[in-house]
Amino acid sequence: MEKKAIHFGGGNIGRGFVAEFLHTAGYEVVFVDVMDKIIDALQSTKSYQVTEVSDEGESTKTITNYRAINSKTHEADVIQEISTAEVVTCAVGPNILKFIAPVIAKGIDARTDPTPLAVIACENAIGATDTLHGFIKDNTAADRLNSMSERARFANSAIDRIVPAQAADAGLNVRIEKFYEWAVESGPFGERGPPKIDAIHWVGNLEPYIERKLFTVNTGHATAAYYGYQAGKKTIAEALRDESIRGIVRDVLQETAALIVDKHEISATEQQEYVETIIARISNHYLEDSVERVGRAPVRKLSRKERFIGPAAQLAERGGKFDSLLGSVEMALRFQNVEGDDESVELAQILKENSPADAAVRLTGLDRDHPLFPHVVKVVDGVQSDAKQDNRASDGYRIELSPHGIWRIPGYGAMEKWLLFFSCMT
Ligand SMILES: NC(=O)c1ccc[n+]([C@@H]2O[C@H](COP(=O)([O-])OP(=O)(O)OC[C@H]3O[C@@H](n4cnc5c(N)ncnc54)[C@H](O)[C@@H]3O)[C@@H](O)[C@H]2O)c1
Ligand SMILES: O=P(O)(O)OC[C@@H](O)[C@@H](O)[C@H](O)[C@H](O)CO
Protein backbone atom coordinates (compact mmCIF):
# COMPACT_ATOMS: atom_id res chain seq x y z
CA MET A 1 0.00 0.00 0.00
CA GLU A 2 1.20 3.56 -0.75
CA LYS A 3 2.72 5.53 2.12
CA LYS A 4 0.60 8.49 3.21
CA ALA A 5 1.52 11.72 5.02
CA ILE A 6 -0.95 14.31 6.30
CA HIS A 7 0.37 17.87 6.25
CA PHE A 8 -1.42 20.73 8.05
CA GLY A 9 -0.87 24.14 6.40
CA GLY A 10 -0.68 24.38 2.61
CA GLY A 11 1.20 27.71 2.82
CA ASN A 12 4.69 28.67 1.72
CA ILE A 13 6.82 26.26 3.74
CA GLY A 14 4.15 23.57 3.58
CA ARG A 15 4.09 23.44 -0.22
CA GLY A 16 7.68 24.58 -0.81
CA PHE A 17 9.52 22.47 1.72
CA VAL A 18 7.64 19.82 3.70
CA ALA A 19 5.43 18.52 0.90
CA GLU A 20 8.30 18.61 -1.57
CA PHE A 21 10.44 16.33 0.60
CA LEU A 22 7.57 14.05 1.60
CA HIS A 23 6.74 13.69 -2.09
CA THR A 24 10.38 12.91 -2.93
CA ALA A 25 10.36 10.28 -0.16
CA GLY A 26 7.47 8.53 -1.90
CA TYR A 27 4.53 9.70 0.22
CA GLU A 28 1.13 10.65 -1.03
CA VAL A 29 0.58 14.03 0.69
CA VAL A 30 -2.84 15.01 2.01
CA PHE A 31 -2.86 18.75 2.70
CA VAL A 32 -5.15 20.01 5.44
CA ASP A 33 -5.89 23.74 5.55
CA VAL A 34 -8.73 26.10 6.48
CA MET A 35 -8.30 28.55 3.61
CA ASP A 36 -10.83 27.83 0.85
CA LYS A 37 -8.64 29.39 -1.84
CA ILE A 38 -5.70 27.06 -1.12
CA ILE A 39 -7.88 23.97 -0.75
CA ASP A 40 -9.78 24.71 -3.97
CA ALA A 41 -6.52 25.23 -5.85
CA LEU A 42 -4.98 22.01 -4.49
CA GLN A 43 -8.15 20.04 -5.24
CA SER A 44 -8.43 21.31 -8.79
CA THR A 45 -4.81 20.73 -9.86
CA LYS A 46 -2.69 17.63 -10.31
CA SER A 47 0.69 19.34 -9.86
CA TYR A 48 2.50 22.50 -8.85
CA GLN A 49 6.09 23.64 -9.20
CA VAL A 50 8.80 24.42 -6.68
CA THR A 51 11.56 26.58 -8.15
CA GLU A 52 14.89 27.05 -6.40
CA VAL A 53 16.45 30.45 -7.14
CA SER A 54 20.10 31.31 -6.58
CA ASP A 55 23.15 32.88 -8.25
CA GLU A 56 23.58 29.57 -10.07
CA GLY A 57 20.25 30.07 -11.83
CA GLU A 58 16.86 28.37 -11.39
CA SER A 59 15.89 24.75 -11.02
CA THR A 60 12.29 23.51 -10.96
CA LYS A 61 10.70 20.37 -9.48
CA THR A 62 7.15 19.27 -10.10
CA ILE A 63 5.13 18.06 -7.11
CA THR A 64 2.33 15.57 -7.81
CA ASN A 65 0.36 12.88 -5.95
CA TYR A 66 -1.45 15.05 -3.42
CA ARG A 67 -4.97 15.62 -2.21
CA ALA A 68 -6.44 18.36 0.00
CA ILE A 69 -9.10 18.53 2.71
CA ASN A 70 -10.65 21.57 4.37
CA SER A 71 -10.69 20.79 8.11
CA LYS A 72 -13.27 23.55 8.72
CA THR A 73 -15.89 21.68 6.71
CA HIS A 74 -14.62 18.06 6.57
CA GLU A 75 -13.26 17.22 10.00
CA ALA A 76 -14.40 13.57 9.86
CA ASP A 77 -12.40 13.05 6.65
CA VAL A 78 -9.27 14.45 8.28
CA ILE A 79 -9.70 12.11 11.27
CA GLN A 80 -10.08 9.14 8.96
CA GLU A 81 -6.95 10.08 6.96
CA ILE A 82 -4.84 10.50 10.13
CA SER A 83 -6.03 7.14 11.43
CA THR A 84 -4.47 5.43 8.39
CA ALA A 85 -1.36 7.60 7.75
CA GLU A 86 2.33 7.07 8.59
CA VAL A 87 3.27 10.69 9.19
CA VAL A 88 1.61 13.93 10.33
CA THR A 89 3.51 17.20 9.81
CA CYS A 90 2.41 20.81 10.19
CA ALA A 91 3.62 24.29 9.23
CA VAL A 92 0.79 26.53 10.38
CA GLY A 93 2.57 28.93 12.76
CA PRO A 94 3.29 28.28 16.46
CA ASN A 95 0.12 30.10 17.62
CA ILE A 96 -2.11 27.81 15.54
CA LEU A 97 -0.95 24.51 17.09
CA LYS A 98 -3.75 24.57 19.66
CA PHE A 99 -6.35 24.75 16.89
CA ILE A 100 -5.09 21.74 14.93
CA ALA A 101 -4.57 19.58 18.04
CA PRO A 102 -8.19 18.43 18.57
CA VAL A 103 -8.55 16.85 15.13
CA ILE A 104 -5.10 15.23 15.34
CA ALA A 105 -6.03 13.84 18.79
CA LYS A 106 -9.17 12.26 17.31
CA GLY A 107 -7.23 10.82 14.37
CA ILE A 108 -4.61 9.30 16.69
CA ASP A 109 -7.29 7.88 18.94
CA ALA A 110 -8.95 6.15 15.97
CA ARG A 111 -5.75 4.32 14.90
CA THR A 112 -5.54 0.52 14.80
CA ASP A 113 -2.26 0.24 12.82
CA PRO A 114 0.47 -1.39 14.97
CA THR A 115 3.06 1.17 13.73
CA PRO A 116 2.74 4.45 15.63
CA LEU A 117 2.11 7.62 13.65
CA ALA A 118 5.15 9.96 13.39
CA VAL A 119 4.14 13.51 14.38
CA ILE A 120 6.61 16.27 13.45
CA ALA A 121 5.77 19.98 13.82
CA CYS A 122 7.77 22.08 11.36
CA GLU A 123 7.51 25.52 12.95
CA ASN A 124 10.12 28.13 13.89
CA ALA A 125 9.93 27.51 17.59
CA ILE A 126 11.82 25.58 20.23
CA GLY A 127 9.94 22.41 21.15
CA ALA A 128 7.01 22.99 18.77
CA THR A 129 6.18 19.27 18.59
CA ASP A 130 6.20 19.10 22.41
CA THR A 131 3.77 22.03 22.47
CA LEU A 132 1.51 20.28 19.94
CA HIS A 133 1.78 17.04 21.93
CA GLY A 134 0.64 18.91 25.05
CA PHE A 135 -2.46 20.23 23.25
CA ILE A 136 -3.16 16.75 21.83
CA LYS A 137 -3.02 15.28 25.34
CA ASP A 138 -5.45 17.97 26.53
CA ASN A 139 -7.84 16.71 23.83
CA THR A 140 -7.50 12.99 24.62
CA ALA A 141 -9.58 11.06 27.16
CA ALA A 142 -7.69 10.42 30.41
CA ASP A 143 -8.00 6.64 30.06
CA ARG A 144 -6.34 6.74 26.60
CA LEU A 145 -3.27 8.76 27.58
CA ASN A 146 -1.12 5.90 28.90
CA SER A 147 -1.38 3.96 25.68
CA MET A 148 -0.93 6.95 23.34
CA SER A 149 2.71 6.08 22.57
CA GLU A 150 1.45 2.85 20.93
CA ARG A 151 -0.50 5.02 18.48
CA ALA A 152 1.81 8.03 17.95
CA ARG A 153 5.37 9.23 18.50
CA PHE A 154 6.26 12.92 18.72
CA ALA A 155 9.58 14.34 17.49
CA ASN A 156 10.76 17.97 17.61
CA SER A 157 12.38 19.46 14.52
CA ALA A 158 14.47 22.38 13.28
CA ILE A 159 13.52 23.47 9.80
CA ASP A 160 15.43 25.92 7.64
CA ARG A 161 14.62 27.18 4.16
CA ILE A 162 13.65 30.71 3.18
CA VAL A 163 10.29 30.75 1.47
CA PRO A 164 9.11 34.34 0.92
CA ALA A 165 5.53 35.41 0.28
CA GLN A 166 4.71 34.43 -3.31
CA ALA A 167 3.61 36.66 -6.19
CA ALA A 168 -0.16 37.20 -6.36
CA ASP A 169 -0.37 35.40 -9.71
CA ALA A 170 1.85 32.45 -8.69
CA GLY A 171 -1.05 30.14 -7.84
CA LEU A 172 0.34 27.11 -6.01
CA ASN A 173 3.84 27.49 -7.43
CA VAL A 174 6.56 28.41 -4.97
CA ARG A 175 9.92 30.17 -5.46
CA ILE A 176 12.39 29.33 -2.73
CA GLU A 177 16.08 29.33 -1.92
CA LYS A 178 18.19 26.30 -2.78
CA PHE A 179 19.59 25.77 0.74
CA TYR A 180 17.64 23.63 3.20
CA GLU A 181 18.15 21.88 6.51
CA TRP A 182 15.65 19.67 8.33
CA ALA A 183 16.88 18.15 11.60
CA VAL A 184 14.52 15.92 13.60
CA GLU A 185 14.91 14.02 16.89
CA SER A 186 15.34 10.29 16.34
CA GLY A 187 14.96 9.20 19.99
CA PRO A 188 11.14 9.21 20.16
CA PHE A 189 10.96 6.42 17.51
CA GLY A 190 12.89 3.97 19.69
CA GLU A 191 14.05 0.64 18.31
CA ARG A 192 11.56 0.70 15.48
CA GLY A 193 13.44 3.70 14.05
CA PRO A 194 12.14 6.83 12.34
CA PRO A 195 10.22 6.92 9.05
CA LYS A 196 12.33 6.88 5.87
CA ILE A 197 12.52 10.48 4.65
CA ASP A 198 15.89 11.16 3.02
CA ALA A 199 15.81 14.96 3.43
CA ILE A 200 15.67 14.62 7.21
CA HIS A 201 18.86 14.65 9.24
CA TRP A 202 17.95 12.50 12.28
CA VAL A 203 19.70 13.61 15.46
CA GLY A 204 19.90 12.38 19.04
CA ASN A 205 20.00 15.87 20.58
CA LEU A 206 18.15 18.61 18.72
CA GLU A 207 19.00 21.54 21.02
CA PRO A 208 22.24 22.63 19.27
CA TYR A 209 20.50 22.50 15.88
CA ILE A 210 17.40 24.46 16.83
CA GLU A 211 19.25 27.04 18.94
CA ARG A 212 21.89 27.59 16.27
CA LYS A 213 19.23 27.96 13.60
CA LEU A 214 16.77 30.17 15.51
CA PHE A 215 19.47 32.34 17.14
CA THR A 216 21.42 32.85 13.91
CA VAL A 217 19.12 32.65 10.88
CA ASN A 218 16.02 34.05 12.57
CA THR A 219 17.78 36.50 14.91
CA GLY A 220 19.73 37.94 11.96
CA HIS A 221 16.71 37.88 9.67
CA ALA A 222 14.44 39.64 12.17
CA THR A 223 17.12 42.23 13.02
CA ALA A 224 17.43 43.09 9.32
CA ALA A 225 13.62 43.22 9.04
CA TYR A 226 13.01 45.56 12.00
CA TYR A 227 15.88 47.95 11.26
CA GLY A 228 15.00 47.75 7.57
CA TYR A 229 11.36 48.56 8.26
CA GLN A 230 12.30 51.69 10.24
CA ALA A 231 14.64 52.71 7.41
CA GLY A 232 11.96 52.35 4.75
CA LYS A 233 13.51 49.31 3.08
CA LYS A 234 11.16 47.01 1.21
CA THR A 235 13.06 43.73 1.29
CA ILE A 236 15.61 41.99 3.50
CA ALA A 237 18.13 42.02 0.66
CA GLU A 238 17.67 45.80 0.33
CA ALA A 239 18.11 46.25 4.08
CA LEU A 240 21.33 44.24 4.04
CA ARG A 241 22.75 46.28 1.16
CA ASP A 242 22.77 49.15 3.67
CA GLU A 243 26.20 48.97 5.32
CA SER A 244 24.93 50.32 8.64
CA ILE A 245 22.18 47.67 8.93
CA ARG A 246 24.52 44.94 7.73
CA GLY A 247 26.98 45.98 10.45
CA ILE A 248 24.24 45.85 13.09
CA VAL A 249 23.20 42.35 11.94
CA ARG A 250 26.84 41.24 12.23
CA ASP A 251 27.13 42.71 15.75
CA VAL A 252 23.97 40.88 16.84
CA LEU A 253 25.21 37.60 15.37
CA GLN A 254 28.54 38.02 17.18
CA GLU A 255 26.59 38.01 20.44
CA THR A 256 24.52 34.93 19.62
CA ALA A 257 27.65 33.20 18.27
CA ALA A 258 29.31 33.67 21.67
CA LEU A 259 26.39 31.85 23.29
CA ILE A 260 26.29 29.04 20.73
CA VAL A 261 30.03 28.39 20.92
CA ASP A 262 30.00 28.54 24.71
CA LYS A 263 27.00 26.25 25.10
CA HIS A 264 27.26 23.68 22.33
CA GLU A 265 30.03 21.63 20.82
CA ILE A 266 30.43 24.06 17.93
CA SER A 267 33.80 25.73 17.39
CA ALA A 268 34.17 29.50 16.92
CA THR A 269 35.46 28.91 13.36
CA GLU A 270 32.54 26.65 12.45
CA GLN A 271 30.04 29.16 13.86
CA GLN A 272 31.74 32.03 12.01
CA GLU A 273 31.43 30.11 8.73
CA TYR A 274 27.79 29.41 9.53
CA VAL A 275 27.17 33.14 10.20
CA GLU A 276 28.75 34.05 6.84
CA THR A 277 26.57 31.48 5.05
CA ILE A 278 23.47 32.86 6.75
CA ILE A 279 24.28 36.50 5.91
CA ALA A 280 24.80 35.45 2.29
CA ARG A 281 21.50 33.49 2.32
CA ILE A 282 19.38 36.27 3.77
CA SER A 283 20.99 38.75 1.35
CA ASN A 284 19.71 36.69 -1.62
CA HIS A 285 18.06 39.35 -3.79
CA TYR A 286 16.35 36.77 -6.01
CA LEU A 287 13.96 35.97 -3.14
CA GLU A 288 12.35 39.43 -2.76
CA ASP A 289 11.49 38.67 0.86
CA SER A 290 9.60 41.61 2.38
CA VAL A 291 10.56 43.16 5.73
CA GLU A 292 6.90 42.83 6.75
CA ARG A 293 6.88 39.03 6.27
CA VAL A 294 10.12 38.52 8.16
CA GLY A 295 9.08 40.93 10.94
CA ARG A 296 5.55 39.46 11.16
CA ALA A 297 4.06 38.66 14.57
CA PRO A 298 6.35 40.82 16.76
CA VAL A 299 4.64 39.72 20.00
CA ARG A 300 5.60 36.10 19.27
CA LYS A 301 9.10 37.14 18.26
CA LEU A 302 9.60 39.07 21.52
CA SER A 303 8.55 36.12 23.70
CA ARG A 304 10.73 34.31 26.23
CA LYS A 305 12.25 31.46 24.20
CA GLU A 306 12.31 33.33 20.90
CA ARG A 307 15.09 34.78 18.72
CA PHE A 308 15.96 37.88 20.79
CA ILE A 309 15.01 37.33 24.43
CA GLY A 310 15.99 33.63 24.28
CA PRO A 311 19.70 34.26 23.56
CA ALA A 312 19.88 37.61 25.42
CA ALA A 313 18.54 35.98 28.61
CA GLN A 314 21.05 33.16 28.39
CA LEU A 315 23.89 35.61 27.71
CA ALA A 316 22.83 37.73 30.69
CA GLU A 317 22.83 34.62 32.91
CA ARG A 318 26.37 33.77 31.74
CA GLY A 319 27.76 37.30 32.07
CA GLY A 320 27.97 37.72 28.27
CA LYS A 321 27.37 40.78 26.07
CA PHE A 322 23.84 41.40 24.79
CA ASP A 323 23.52 45.12 23.96
CA SER A 324 23.17 44.60 20.20
CA LEU A 325 20.36 42.13 20.87
CA LEU A 326 18.70 44.83 22.98
CA GLY A 327 18.90 47.10 19.92
CA SER A 328 16.95 44.45 17.95
CA VAL A 329 14.42 44.26 20.80
CA GLU A 330 13.98 48.03 20.58
CA MET A 331 13.39 47.90 16.82
CA ALA A 332 10.94 45.01 17.26
CA LEU A 333 9.04 47.13 19.82
CA ARG A 334 8.82 49.89 17.20
CA PHE A 335 7.20 47.53 14.67
CA GLN A 336 3.71 48.79 15.55
CA ASN A 337 0.43 49.08 13.65
CA VAL A 338 1.81 47.52 10.49
CA GLU A 339 -0.89 46.89 7.90
CA GLY A 340 -2.06 43.27 7.86
CA ASP A 341 -0.20 42.34 11.06
CA ASP A 342 -2.57 41.91 14.02
CA GLU A 343 0.24 41.36 16.50
CA SER A 344 1.81 44.69 15.60
CA VAL A 345 -1.48 46.35 16.60
CA GLU A 346 -1.61 44.28 19.81
CA LEU A 347 1.98 45.33 20.54
CA ALA A 348 1.09 49.03 20.25
CA GLN A 349 -1.86 48.48 22.60
CA ILE A 350 0.22 46.60 25.20
CA LEU A 351 2.83 49.37 25.18
CA LYS A 352 0.15 52.04 25.51
CA GLU A 353 -1.74 50.44 28.40
CA ASN A 354 1.04 49.12 30.65
CA SER A 355 3.89 50.46 32.75
CA PRO A 356 7.37 49.69 31.33
CA ALA A 357 7.88 46.82 33.79
CA ASP A 358 4.41 45.33 33.25
CA ALA A 359 4.75 45.61 29.46
CA ALA A 360 8.18 43.93 29.67
CA VAL A 361 6.74 41.03 31.70
CA ARG A 362 3.75 40.66 29.42
CA LEU A 363 5.78 40.73 26.20
CA THR A 364 8.93 38.83 27.16
CA GLY A 365 7.77 36.54 29.96
CA LEU A 366 11.00 37.34 31.85
CA ASP A 367 10.93 37.03 35.64
CA ARG A 368 11.31 40.40 37.32
CA ASP A 369 14.46 39.23 39.06
CA HIS A 370 16.13 37.98 35.87
CA PRO A 371 19.43 39.82 35.12
CA LEU A 372 18.11 40.82 31.67
CA PHE A 373 14.89 42.29 33.02
CA PRO A 374 16.05 45.83 34.01
CA HIS A 375 17.73 46.25 30.62
CA VAL A 376 14.56 45.30 28.77
CA VAL A 377 12.46 47.60 30.97
CA LYS A 378 14.77 50.49 30.02
CA VAL A 379 14.30 49.76 26.31
CA VAL A 380 10.52 49.49 26.72
CA ASP A 381 10.52 52.76 28.67
CA GLY A 382 12.43 54.49 25.86
CA VAL A 383 10.00 53.30 23.21
CA GLN A 384 6.99 54.30 25.34
CA SER A 385 8.49 57.74 26.08
CA ASP A 386 8.99 58.33 22.37
CA ALA A 387 5.35 57.45 21.74
CA LYS A 388 4.25 59.93 24.41
CA GLN A 389 6.49 62.64 22.95
CA ASP A 390 5.01 61.94 19.54
CA ASN A 391 1.55 62.57 20.87
CA ARG A 392 2.72 66.00 21.94
CA ALA A 393 4.82 66.56 18.84
CA SER A 394 2.48 69.04 17.21
CA ASP A 395 4.32 71.65 19.33
CA GLY A 396 7.65 70.93 17.62
CA TYR A 397 10.12 68.18 16.72
CA ARG A 398 12.84 66.48 18.74
CA ILE A 399 15.75 65.07 16.75
CA GLU A 400 17.93 62.54 18.51
CA LEU A 401 20.72 60.06 17.83
CA SER A 402 19.57 56.60 18.90
CA PRO A 403 21.97 54.31 20.78
CA HIS A 404 22.32 52.45 17.49
CA GLY A 405 23.67 55.43 15.58
CA ILE A 406 20.46 56.34 13.79
CA TRP A 407 19.22 59.93 13.66
CA ARG A 408 15.50 60.06 14.17
CA ILE A 409 12.47 62.14 15.02
CA PRO A 410 10.64 59.71 17.30
CA GLY A 411 7.23 58.72 16.03
CA TYR A 412 7.66 60.21 12.59
CA GLY A 413 8.11 56.91 10.80
CA ALA A 414 8.78 58.26 7.33
CA MET A 415 11.09 61.00 8.58
CA GLU A 416 12.97 58.45 10.69
CA LYS A 417 13.51 56.54 7.49
CA TRP A 418 14.86 59.57 5.63
CA LEU A 419 17.09 60.48 8.55
CA LEU A 420 18.46 56.94 8.67
CA PHE A 421 19.13 57.18 4.96
CA PHE A 422 20.82 60.52 5.48
CA SER A 423 22.88 59.26 8.44
CA CYS A 424 24.01 56.26 6.38
CA MET A 425 25.10 58.54 3.53
CA THR A 426 27.13 60.83 5.79
N1 LIG B 1 8.46 30.75 5.15
C1 LIG B 1 9.62 30.39 5.65
O1 LIG B 1 10.69 30.83 5.19
C2 LIG B 1 9.69 29.43 6.81
C3 LIG B 1 10.86 28.66 6.98
C4 LIG B 1 10.95 27.78 8.07
C5 LIG B 1 9.88 27.66 8.93
N2 LIG B 1 8.75 28.40 8.73
C6 LIG B 1 7.67 28.22 9.69
O2 LIG B 1 6.60 27.52 9.06
C7 LIG B 1 5.35 27.95 9.60
C8 LIG B 1 4.45 28.41 8.46
O3 LIG B 1 5.08 29.50 7.80
P1 LIG B 1 4.69 29.91 6.31
O4 LIG B 1 5.68 30.93 5.89
O5 LIG B 1 4.50 28.71 5.47
O6 LIG B 1 3.27 30.62 6.58
P2 LIG B 1 1.99 30.67 5.60
O7 LIG B 1 1.14 31.74 6.17
O8 LIG B 1 2.44 30.78 4.19
O9 LIG B 1 1.30 29.25 5.79
C9 LIG B 1 0.53 28.89 6.91
C10 LIG B 1 -0.63 28.06 6.42
O10 LIG B 1 -1.32 27.52 7.56
C11 LIG B 1 -2.71 27.55 7.26
N3 LIG B 1 -3.50 27.44 8.48
C12 LIG B 1 -3.83 28.41 9.37
N4 LIG B 1 -4.63 27.91 10.33
C13 LIG B 1 -4.81 26.59 10.04
C14 LIG B 1 -5.54 25.54 10.66
N5 LIG B 1 -6.26 25.74 11.77
N6 LIG B 1 -5.52 24.32 10.09
C15 LIG B 1 -4.79 24.09 8.96
N7 LIG B 1 -4.08 25.06 8.33
C16 LIG B 1 -4.09 26.30 8.87
C17 LIG B 1 -2.88 28.88 6.55
O11 LIG B 1 -4.12 28.95 5.86
C18 LIG B 1 -1.68 28.86 5.63
O12 LIG B 1 -1.97 28.22 4.41
C19 LIG B 1 5.69 29.03 10.62
O13 LIG B 1 5.83 28.45 11.90
C20 LIG B 1 7.04 29.52 10.16
O14 LIG B 1 7.79 30.10 11.18
C21 LIG B 1 8.63 29.26 7.69
O1 LIG C 1 8.50 32.43 10.17
P1 LIG C 1 8.81 33.42 11.28
O2 LIG C 1 7.78 34.48 11.38
O3 LIG C 1 9.10 32.74 12.57
O4 LIG C 1 10.17 34.13 10.87
C1 LIG C 1 10.28 34.80 9.63
C2 LIG C 1 11.50 34.32 8.87
O5 LIG C 1 12.67 34.64 9.59
C3 LIG C 1 11.47 32.80 8.65
O6 LIG C 1 10.26 32.38 8.06
C4 LIG C 1 12.66 32.34 7.79
O7 LIG C 1 12.44 32.65 6.45
C5 LIG C 1 12.88 30.86 7.96
O8 LIG C 1 12.95 30.51 9.31
C6 LIG C 1 14.12 30.38 7.24
O9 LIG C 1 14.34 29.05 7.57
Side-chain angles (χ1 to χ4, degrees):
M1 212 171 83
E2 192 178 32
K3 301 192 293 183
K4 181 170 70 179
I6 315 303
H7 175 76
F8 284 75
N12 293 327
I13 201 82
R15 297 200 308 282
F17 182 122
V18 187
E20 180 196 335
F21 292 127
L22 290 172
H23 171 73
T24 306
Y27 286 88
E28 179 198 22
V29 177
V30 180
F31 288 98
V32 178
D33 207 297
V34 287
M35 216 192 269
D36 298 338
K37 198 171 147 209
I38 288 185
I39 294 293
D40 292 347
L42 287 163
Q43 286 178 340
S44 59
T45 53
K46 289 213 171 323
S47 69
Y48 67 87
Q49 295 188 323
V50 174
T51 301
E52 296 174 356
V53 290
S54 70
D55 283 340
E56 295 152 37
E58 297 191 358
S59 146
T60 297
K61 287 182 190 149
T62 300
I63 313 301
T64 56
N65 194 24
Y66 56 80
R67 290 182 285 126
I69 305 175
N70 191 330
S71 53
K72 247 182 352 192
T73 52
H74 290 74
E75 190 193 69
D77 293 351
V78 180
I79 294 167
Q80 199 279 329
E81 296 288 356
I82 293 173
S83 74
T84 52
E86 274 191 24
V87 176
V88 164
T89 51
C90 65
V92 288
N95 296 340
I96 305 292
L97 295 173
K98 56 178 165 297
F99 300 117
I100 63 171
V103 70
I104 300 178
K106 288 179 195 153
I108 290 173
D109 210 53
R111 285 178 75 81
T112 53
D113 193 309
T115 307
L117 178 74
V119 180
I120 305 168
C122 305
E123 315 287 349
N124 271 342
I126 290 177
T129 308
D130 289 342
T131 306
L132 177 64
H133 190 184
F135 291 129
I136 290 173
K137 285 197 253 183
D138 293 345
N139 284 277
T140 301
D143 63 347
R144 298 284 284 162
L145 287 175
N146 278 345
S147 59
M148 193 193 277
S149 70
E150 292 163 20
R151 293 184 291 281
R153 297 294 169 96
F154 296 84
N156 289 298
S157 82
I159 180 164
D160 191 6
R161 191 173 215 183
I162 299 173
V163 191
Q166 303 296 309
D169 61 354
L172 294 172
N173 297 340
V174 187
R175 285 169 74 80
I176 53 173
E177 68 169 336
K178 190 171 174 186
F179 178 99
Y180 74 86
E181 226 168 50
W182 190 4
V184 184
E185 291 173 324
S186 54
F189 301 101
E191 283 179 7
R192 202 186 283 267
K196 193 169 163 13
I197 302 169
D198 287 342
I200 294 183
H201 176 198
W202 299 100
V203 297
N205 176 16
L206 188 72
E207 196 190 20
Y209 292 89
I210 184 75
E211 286 209 338
R212 187 169 85 147
K213 191 268 168 168
L214 196 66
F215 299 165
T216 310
V217 181
N218 297 109
T219 305
H221 220 187
T223 297
Y226 292 132
Y227 277 94
Y229 180 78
Q230 291 301 329
K233 311 290 182 190
K234 295 240 167 322
T235 65
I236 299 298
E238 194 190 336
L240 285 164
R241 277 200 296 276
D242 181 318
E243 282 306 320
S244 103
I245 297 178
R246 200 176 180 86
I248 290 167
V249 170
R250 278 192 182 284
D251 290 346
V252 170
L253 295 187
Q254 283 289 105
E255 292 180 354
T256 59
L259 173 69
I260 287 156
V261 169
D262 190 34
K263 192 172 167 188
H264 302 297
E265 280 176 18
I266 296 170
S267 72
T269 314
E270 196 189 333
Q271 178 61 17
Q272 190 51 40
E273 280 167 14
Y274 183 72
V275 166
E276 294 308 325
T277 306
I278 299 317
I279 292 179
R281 280 178 59 208
I282 63 181
S283 303
N284 181 345
H285 61 276
Y286 296 102
L287 289 175
E288 293 177 28
D289 205 0
S290 74
V291 292
E292 287 85 358
R293 181 194 83 83
V294 177
R296 68 184 169 189
V299 174
R300 166 170 61 89
K301 289 190 166 90
L302 283 162
S303 65
R304 182 66 177 84
K305 291 191 200 158
E306 263 282 345
R307 58 208 74 186
F308 300 136
I309 300 296
Q314 295 189 55
L315 284 161
E317 286 158 19
R318 289 160 185 257
K321 178 177 170 300
F322 50 82
D323 16 330
S324 300
L325 278 160
L326 282 178
S328 304
V329 169
E330 180 191 332
M331 290 299 143
L333 289 166
R334 295 185 187 280
F335 192 76
Q336 297 177 23
N337 298 316
V338 176
E339 204 185 330
D341 192 318
D342 294 346
E343 283 194 20
S344 71
V345 178
E346 188 191 341
L347 172 63
Q349 206 60 25
I350 291 171
L351 289 170
K352 196 169 160 204
E353 291 171 356
N354 291 277
S355 69
D358 289 350
V361 169
R362 182 134 174 227
L363 289 166
T364 67
L366 282 166
D367 290 335
R368 286 173 196 260
D369 60 359
H370 191 281
L372 183 65
F373 189 69
H375 302 275
V376 171
V377 172
K378 203 167 157 202
V379 172
V380 171
D381 191 19
V383 173
Q384 287 176 320
S385 303
D386 284 350
K388 283 184 198 135
Q389 296 244 6
D390 298 342
N391 291 338
R392 296 194 293 265
S394 48
D395 303 340
Y397 305 120
R398 178 170 61 87
I399 299 181
E400 64 176 34
L401 183 63
S402 84
H404 313 291
I406 294 171
W407 289 100
R408 63 183 184 205
I409 300 177
Y412 286 78
M415 292 175 89
E416 282 184 21
K417 289 164 195 169
W418 280 110
L419 281 165
L420 173 62
F421 174 72
F422 183 68
S423 63
C424 294
M425 300 294 291
T426 53

